[in-house]
């Protein structure tokens, strides 16, 4: 297992699934198209709901993407922990009524153990409590020892995010080692300590949730994968959290340069440094996708993000506007994968220069 940059992990994942017959699509914009149930795209599958339900014909039955995502329920916690962030990239391989468990599970395993070369004894699959089919694929087809396969309940192994396609899932956890654990003899995936980190989620999308708790069987069985790019990059770089991942660390280092502070020396400064680092990424991608700060909806989310970043800039003693500076670094790190950042560079920087 070799140190691998975040940009390389992304490329390896997408080309691996292209080699398995998937069509690579660019990330959909953060602004949902024809979906009033969401303010901002929050998962890889969200822009493709109608492919899962069968309402719209997909360009191919196998698709792979790296999707820009924003989640803000933990907005106020961002910075206070190294775990929370508002922006992340979600890798996914999707089957719209094509392959199902028998193929999705071996491909996940092949990618992690052969392409990423993660030692198999550090990987622990979990399955939905009564999903014997997935359990047996892990046990018999992949050969994972039974003591490494965990059955978990609805809270952990049934994926849904608001209305739309959902279903039971199988996840793969990476064992970060005893030093992250609680020390309990029965510690394993599902434990609330930090030892086992979920890095892969294969959802067997079989149901549609109407948003009122009614589930109907979908006409087709689908695969919806959620593979957090920053999390896998942490594993591949042997770092604790996403703020230490190469491309994100470059933004963080710029915040330190601008503020004259050192990361890791002072708890309060670290909070502010992480807030600005995370919010730089969200604001950049939102503005590039056409969101403008305003008093309502997604514009209000963006306004709060920019305001909070600026407030933390003041706490760090930065006596000037700085977001154009941190965003310029972030554009440099991500424009290879997201050409819209180069195309909209001047626009993004102009908007920030006006509103900051
Ligand atoms: N849609 C599956 C996930 O985001 O984990």
């Amino acid at each position: 297992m070799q140190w691998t940059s975040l940009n390389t992990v992304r490329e390896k994942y997408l080309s691996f699934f292209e080699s398995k017959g998937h069509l690579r699509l660019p990330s959909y914009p953060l602004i949902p198209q024809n979906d009033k149930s969401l303010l901002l795209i929050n998962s890889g599958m969200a822009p493709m709901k109608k492919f899962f339900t069968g309402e719209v014909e997909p360009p191919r039955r196998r698709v792979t993407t790296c999707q820009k995502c924003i989640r803000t329920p933990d907005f106020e916690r961002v910075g206070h922990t190294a775990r929370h962030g508002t922006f992340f990239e979600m890798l996914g391989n999707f089957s719209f009524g094509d392959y199902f468990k028998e193929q999705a599970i071996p491909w996940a395993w092949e990618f992690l153990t052969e392409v990423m070369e993660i030692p198999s004894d550090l990987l622990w699959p979990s399955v939905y409590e009564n999903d014997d089919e997935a359990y047996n694929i892990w046990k018999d087809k992949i050969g994972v020892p039974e003591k490494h396969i965990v059955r978990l309940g609805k809270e952990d192994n049934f994926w849904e995010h608001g209305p739309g396609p959902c279903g039971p899932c199988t996840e793969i956890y990476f064992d970060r080692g005893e030093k992250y654990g609680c020390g309990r003899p029965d510690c394993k995936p599902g434990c609330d300590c930090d030892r086992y980190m979920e890095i892969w989620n294969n959802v067997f999308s079989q149901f549609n949730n109407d948003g009122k708790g009614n589930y109907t069987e979908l006409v087709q069985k689908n695969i919806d994968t959620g593979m957090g790019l920053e999390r896998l990059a942490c594993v591949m770089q042997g770092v604790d959290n996403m703020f230490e991942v190469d491309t994100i660390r470059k933004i963080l280092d710029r915040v330190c340069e601008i503020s004259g502070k050192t990361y890791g020396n002072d708890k309060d400064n670290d909070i502010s440094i992480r807030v600005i680092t995370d919010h730089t990424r969200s604001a950049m991608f939102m503005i590039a996708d056409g969101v403008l700060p305003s008093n309502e909806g997604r514009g209000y989310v963006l306004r709060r993000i920019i305001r909070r970043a600026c407030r933390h800039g003041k706490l760090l003693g930065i006596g000037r506007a700085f977001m154009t500076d941190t965003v310029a670094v972030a554009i440099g790190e991500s424009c290879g994968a997201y050409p819209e950042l180069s195309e909209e560079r001047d626009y993004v920087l102009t908007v920030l220069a006006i509103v900051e």
Side-chain angles (χ1 to χ4, degrees), residues 43-45 71 90 159 198 201 203 224-226:
S43 67
M45 63 79 73
R71 286 188 194 166
M90 188 69 100
W159 193 88
E198 181 223 316
N201 186 14
V203 184
D224 156 26
T225 310

Side-chain angles (χ1 to χ4, degrees), residues 28-322:
Y28 287 84
L30 282 164
I31 302 177
Q33 316 286 304
N34 305 317
D35 181 358
K36 296 216 177 332
S37 71
L38 281 177
L39 274 186
L40 291 157
I41 292 299
N42 59 5
S43 67
M45 63 79 73
M48 292 187 275
K49 284 180 189 169
K50 289 190 174 157
F51 298 157
F52 287 98
T53 58
E55 287 165 86
V56 171
E57 188 67 24
R60 197 183 291 174
R61 299 225 156 249
R62 299 177 183 188
V63 161
T64 186
T65 60
C66 185
Q67 177 61 47
K68 302 174 272 194
C69 298
I70 300 235
R71 286 188 194 166
T72 52
D74 293 322
F75 181 63
E76 295 296 338
R77 288 188 61 75
V78 173
H80 292 271
T81 73
R83 261 194 300 154
H84 290 90
T86 53
F87 178 82
F88 62 96
E89 296 176 59
M90 188 69 100
L91 288 160
N93 53 287
F94 305 97
S95 157
F96 309 114
D98 186 29
Y99 63 88
F100 203 45
K101 300 180 189 184
E102 285 279 347
Q103 266 171 313
I105 291 176
W107 283 341
W109 192 253
E110 183 183 337
F111 180 74
L112 290 177
T113 60
E114 292 180 30
V115 181
M116 293 287 104
E117 299 180 345
I118 300 176
S120 57
D121 61 341
L122 297 182
L123 297 173
W124 289 63
S126 70
V127 299
Y128 186 53
E129 51 199 359
N130 58 8
D131 188 352
D132 292 336
E133 196 186 348
Y135 188 95
N136 289 334
I137 294 171
W138 282 116
K139 176 169 75 74
D140 301 328
K141 194 161 176 175
I142 309 292
V144 176
E146 286 194 79
K147 63 175 176 19
H148 259 235
I149 311 172
V150 182
R151 290 183 190 265
L152 294 172
K154 189 163 183 206
E155 204 173 302
D156 292 290
N157 274 64
F158 189 97
W159 193 88
E160 58 189 332
H161 222 87
C166 57
C169 57
T170 185
E171 298 186 317
I172 305 174
Y173 288 76
F174 175 75
D175 181 359
R176 307 169 75 205
E178 274 175 25
K179 70 175 172 168
Y180 292 95
C182 56
R184 287 196 288 263
D186 59 348
C187 176
K188 58 185 172 189
C191 180
D192 54 17
C193 76
D194 286 336
R195 177 164 177 175
Y196 296 94
M197 177 169 70
E198 181 223 316
I199 54 170
W200 196 295
N201 186 14
N202 270 155
V203 184
F204 309 126
S205 289
Q206 288 162 263
F207 304 105
N208 192 54
N209 175 355
D210 69 357
K212 299 179 191 124
N214 302 312
Y215 296 85
T216 46
E217 190 97 26
L218 291 171
V219 283
Q220 59 190 30
K221 290 183 174 176
N222 309 288
I223 291 292
D224 156 26
T225 310
M227 218 288 294
L229 173 58
E230 292 84 351
R231 284 198 188 180
L232 185 56
C234 285
V235 171
M236 298 312 297
Q237 296 180 15
V239 297
D240 278 354
N241 62 72
M242 68 171 176
F243 294 96
E244 306 280 347
V245 163
D246 59 341
T247 54
I248 304 172
R249 180 75 203 208
K250 292 254 177 58
I251 307 167
L252 184 146
D253 286 343
R254 188 73 190 117
V255 178
C256 292
E257 271 171 40
I258 296 169
S259 61
K261 305 286 190 237
T262 303
Y263 187 58
N265 268 2
D266 176 274
K267 190 168 154 280
D268 288 337
N269 286 346
D270 288 353
I271 292 171
S272 296
I273 292 166
R274 285 193 292 261
V275 166
I276 296 171
T277 302
D278 170 78
H279 292 8
T280 287
R281 299 204 314 147
S282 322
M284 167 185 78
F285 278 109
M286 287 171 82
I287 298 168
D289 276 354
V291 184
L292 280 171
S294 73
N295 289 336
E296 57 182 13
R298 60 184 77 89
Y300 183 61
V301 175
L302 175 59
R303 200 175 89 167
R304 284 180 69 205
I305 285 172
I306 295 173
R307 281 195 170 174
R308 189 159 179 257
C310 293
R311 183 158 52 80
H312 281 275
K314 289 204 179 81
L315 291 174
L316 286 176
I318 306 175
R320 62 173 176 88
F322 60 88

